[in-house]
C-alpha cells in the first residue's frame, strides 16, 4: 500500500496491537512526575507510531486500516488517562473507598490494567453515559446460549456483506465509484447505496463479532472477567439512532466516549466556557470528532503517504451534520411547537435522515477505499456459507438487478 519510492512494509508483530495499552497501564501504575511522564509518553508515542508506519498486517488494506486505527485509539487513550485526568487517585470501583493509587505495586498495576481494558468504565464512578443494560440472562449458561446465537447471526450478516463486496469487485465500473464515470440514474444510485451499506455493515459486524467471541471465551472459561453482567453489548440500540447525534453518542461511540468526554471537557474548561452553554457543548462535540479523526488518521498512515489525512474529512463532516441537525430541530421546535420528546413521525423521519446522511457522506469513508487494490478481496471469516453451493443464489439475483 506504500508508494514505490518507500521501502517494502514489514509485518507488524502480533503483540504490537496491545503495546499502547501496556504503556498506558505502566504509566498509570507508576504515576511519574511531569518530566519523566513527558519523556515516557513521547517514547511510547514514537514506538506506537513505529508500529504503524512502514508496517502491514499482511491481510490487505482494510485490515491495515483497522489495526492502525485501533492502535491510534489506544495511543489516544494512553495520553488522555496520563495527562487529562488522574484515574488512580480520583476513580473508584463500585463501593470501594480506597484510591487505586494507594494499593501495593502489583495491585496498582492490576487496577491500572482494568481501567485501560474497560473503555466504558463499567462499574466505576465515571461510567460513561448511555451504556446498554446487561443481557437478560439469569445464568452463565443462558448468557452463553444467547451470545452464541447472536454471534452466529452476526457472522451470517458479515458473510452476506463480505460476499457482496467481493462480487462487486467483478464489475468494471467499481474503480470509478465516486466519479462521473460511474453509472448514473436509479441503477447508479442503487449500486452506490448497496456498496456503501455493505461496507458499513462489514465494519459493524467485524467489531461486534470480535467482541462477542471474546465475551464467550471469558464467560465460558472464567478468565480475565467471567461475569456475564460486565459483558454489555458493544453497541447501543439501533432504535436510538434517529438523529446523527444519537447515532454516534448512543449507538456507535460506546467504546470511545470516555476519551472524547474527558478531552472535550478539558479543552472547554481551558477555554473558560461555562458547563452547559452552547460554547461548551460544541467545543466538546468538535473535539470528540477531531480526536476520532486523529485516531483513524493512524489508519491512513499505514495505508501510505497518499492517504494521509483522508479519514479526518469524514469525522469533521459528521460534526458539521450534527450542528446543522441541532439547528433544524431548534427551529422546528420554535416554529411548529414541537416538545422536547419526539413523536413517532419525527422519529421515522429521523431514521430516513440518518440513512440519507450516511449515504451522502459515503464518498468520504467508502468510495475512496473500495477501488483500492485488494480491499474487495479480503476475507474476515474462515468460511462463507453465502458463497457456498448450499446457499440460495440470493446475491446472484441482487447483482442481476444492480449491475
Amino acid at each position: 500500500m506504500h508508494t514505490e519510492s518507500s521501502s517494502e512494509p514489514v509485518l507488524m508483530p502480533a503483540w504490537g496491537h496491545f503495546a499502547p495499552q501496556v504503556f498506558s497501564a505502566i504509566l498509570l501504575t507508576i504515576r511519574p512526575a511531569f518530566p519523566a511522564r513527558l519523556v515516557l509518553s513521547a517514547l511510547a508515542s514514537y514506538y506506537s507510531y513505529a508500529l504503524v508506519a512502514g508496517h502491514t498486517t499482511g491481510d490487505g488494506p482494510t485490515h491495515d486500516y483497522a489495526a492502525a486505527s485501533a492502535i491510534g485509539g489506544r495511543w489516544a487513550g494512553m495520553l488522555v488517562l496520563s495527562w487529562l485526568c488522574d484515574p488512580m487517585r480520583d476513580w473508584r470501583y463500585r463501593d470501594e473507598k480506597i484510591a487505586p493509587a494507594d494499593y501495593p505495586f502489583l495491585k496498582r498495576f492490576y487496577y491500572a490494567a482494568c481501567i485501560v481494558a474497560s473503555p466504558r468504565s463499567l462499574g466505576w464512578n465515571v461510567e460513561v453515559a448511555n451504556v446498554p443494560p446487561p443481557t437478560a440472562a439469569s445464568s452463565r449458561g443462558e448468557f452463553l446460549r444467547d451470545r452464541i446465537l447472536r454471534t452466529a447471526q452476526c457472522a451470517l450478516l458479515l458473510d452476506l456483506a463480505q460476499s457482496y463486496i467481493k462480487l462487486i469487485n467483478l464489475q468494471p465500473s467499481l474503480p470509478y465509484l465516486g466519479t462521473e464515470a460511474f453509472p448514473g440514474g436509479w441503477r447508479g444510485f442503487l449500486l452506490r447505496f448497496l456498496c456503501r451499506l455493505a461496507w458499513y455493515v462489514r465494519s459493524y459486524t467485524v467489531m461486534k463479532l470480535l467482541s462477542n467471541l471474546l465475551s464467550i471465551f471469558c464467560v465460558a472459561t472464567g478468565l480475565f472477567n467471567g461475569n456475564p453482567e460486565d459483558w454489555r453489548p458493544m453497541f447501543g440500540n439501533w432504535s436510538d439512532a434517529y438523529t446523527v447525534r444519537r447515532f454516534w453518542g448512543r449507538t456507535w461511540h460506546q467504546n470511545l466516549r470516555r476519551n472524547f468526554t474527558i478531552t472535550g471537557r478539558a479543552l472547554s474548561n481551558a477555554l473558560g466556557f461555562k458547563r452547559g452553554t452552547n460554547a461548551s457543548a460544541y467545543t466538546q462535540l468538535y473535539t470528540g470528532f477531531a480526536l476520532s479523526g486523529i485516531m483513524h488518521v493512524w489508519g491512513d498512515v499505514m495505508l501510505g503517504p497518499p492517504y494521509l489525512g483522508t479519514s479526518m474529512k469524514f469525522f469533521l463532516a459528521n460534526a458539521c451534520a450534527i450542528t446543522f441537525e441541532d439547528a433544524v430541530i431548534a427551529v422546528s421546535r420554535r416554529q411548529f411547537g414541537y416538545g422536547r420528546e419526539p413523536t413517532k413521525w419525527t422519529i421515522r423521519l429521523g431514521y430516513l435522515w440518518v440513512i440519507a446522511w450516511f449515504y451522502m457522506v459515503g464518498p468520504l469513508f467508502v468510495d475512496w477505499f473500495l477501488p483500492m487494490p485488494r480491499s474487495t478481496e479480503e476475507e474476515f471469516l474462515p468460511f462463507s456459507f453465502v458463497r457456498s453451493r448450499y446457499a440460495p443464489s440470493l446475491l446472484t439475483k441482487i447483482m442481476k438487478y444492480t449491475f
Side-chain angles (χ1 to χ4, degrees), residues 144-206:
L144 290 173
R145 286 192 296 272
D146 176 78
R147 197 55 63 95
I148 290 172
L149 176 61
R150 292 177 184 274
T151 300
Q153 294 170 339
C154 187
L156 182 59
L157 187 58
L158 171 58
D159 188 15
L160 183 63
Q162 180 63 36
S163 297
Y164 186 79
I165 290 173
K166 289 184 72 68
L167 283 175
I168 63 176
N169 187 47
L170 304 176
Q171 306 305 314
S173 60
L174 178 62
Y176 302 103
L177 182 63
T179 70
E180 294 182 357
F182 197 75
W186 281 104
R187 177 171 168 266
F189 167 80
L190 180 59
L191 180 54
R192 282 191 297 271
F193 180 85
L194 290 174
C195 286
R196 293 167 187 171
L197 177 62
W199 192 269
Y200 290 138
V201 168
R202 187 175 73 172
S203 301
Y204 165 74
T205 51
V206 166

Side-chain angles (χ1 to χ4, degrees), residues 8 87 89 98 114 119 126 130 152 166 182 185 187 190 207 209 213 225 239 265 325 333 337 347 370 381 391:
E8 189 70 19
R89 178 57 61 188
I98 301 176
C114 289
V126 290
N130 305 318
K166 289 184 72 68
F182 197 75
R187 177 171 168 266
L190 180 59
M207 290 187 286
L209 189 64
L213 291 173
N225 185 354
S239 59
R265 287 178 179 173
E325 179 181 82
R333 285 173 177 165
I347 289 176
L370 275 173
L381 292 170

